[in-house]
Amino acid sequence: MAALDIRDLEDDAMERLRGRAGRNGRSVESEARAILTDAVREPAVSPPRIGDRSSGLGAQPLSRDEALALRGSGWEPGGGRAAGS
């Protein structure tokens, strides 16, 4: 396993770390290890990125078949109905 020394940690941060460790029933070292491990863990579900089709932001254009299916259906962007429908 790797080792890590942290230098120049502010006194206030160390006191908060000690308090947090005590509340969680851990040593300061164990608490710091848990914090670091959680901080670098990959999220279970990634938030949508701009440009993802599912996000609605920067959505990909419709395919030809999708556009033809919507033609004449009264659908218009923004969820409204076409004029005269």
Side-chain angles (χ1 to χ4, degrees):
M1 299 211 119
L4 173 69
D5 289 325
I6 301 175
R7 293 182 180 88
D8 300 323
L9 184 63
E10 294 178 8
D11 293 338
D12 183 55
M14 187 62 187
E15 287 304 314
R16 286 182 282 139
L17 181 61
R18 281 189 186 113
R20 183 173 166 162
R23 286 189 303 277
N24 291 324
R26 299 179 184 155
S27 67
V28 170
E29 181 181 345
S30 178
E31 187 67 20
R33 190 170 31 251
I35 290 168
L36 288 170
T37 300
D38 288 344
V40 298
R41 184 174 288 137
E42 294 292 327
V45 176
S46 298
R49 297 177 311 228
I50 292 177
D52 282 355
R53 189 171 187 151
S54 61
S55 73
L57 297 173
Q60 297 175 5
L62 296 174
S63 70
R64 181 179 181 278
D65 290 338
E66 290 170 323
L68 289 174
L70 290 174
R71 180 187 264 172
S73 69
W75 177 89
E76 68 178 27
R81 303 280 298 173
S85 298

